[in-house]
Amino acid sequence: MENPLQLKCLNHISLVCRSVEKSVDFYQNILGFFPVKRPGSFNFSGAWLFNYGIGIHLLQSDNPDSMPKIGGINPKNNHISFQCESMALLEKKLKELNIEYVTSDVEEGGIRVDQLFFHDPNGYMIELCNCDILPVTPLPVDSIQSSCSLTNRNVRRQRQQEQQVQLQ
């Protein structure tokens, strides 16, 4: 597989926060990240945390009241996923902490992956799972194209309709 940009790994994710302090507490005490030095040249509030080979950069929102309201837990929304060792222990701990969560599972080829979803203090979705038991199987190039064919067909149809409207 090609690596045209010579990427090595995920370095960090940045999250805009209602409260950097509450977010640091959550990522440190719930997810096990630890604070690391942040460049002093930044002229905005924030914090950097690190663990599991990735960084989380928390940025204080300029207008926390304008941030989207925290909605229901929907596993199909954007989320950050972490692998865990024991789903049962994890679920027990979240219950003790009174953190609302939703469970789900995925089955493929006789392998069942357990998933657990919840929000951080800003409404960002967190998934914890035992996803590492599911093999990563690259798809052949032709199957990638065919999996996109419905989308491509719909895009072509929409473009044709737009062209017809422009001609009228």
Side-chain angles (χ1 to χ4, degrees), residues 65-78:
D65 294 333
S66 71
M67 289 182 65
K69 301 293 181 225
I70 298 173
I73 300 171
N74 180 353
K76 292 188 279 184
N77 278 345
N78 295 329

Side-chain angles (χ1 to χ4, degrees), residues 129-155:
C129 67
N130 58 350
C131 299
D132 57 339
I133 63 173
L134 193 63
V136 176
T137 308
L139 294 173
V141 174
D142 59 340
S143 70
I144 294 171
Q145 291 169 346
S146 67
S147 71
C148 297
S149 64
L150 180 59
T151 302
N152 291 338
R153 195 172 340 142
N154 290 339
V155 169

Side-chain angles (χ1 to χ4, degrees), residues 81-99:
S81 181
F82 297 96
Q83 295 181 151
C84 71
E85 293 183 30
S86 169
M87 293 299 288
L89 183 63
L90 170 69
E91 195 166 355
K92 180 181 178 209
K93 184 68 175 173
L94 290 179
K95 282 179 183 175
E96 288 173 7
L97 295 167
N98 291 319
I99 294 177

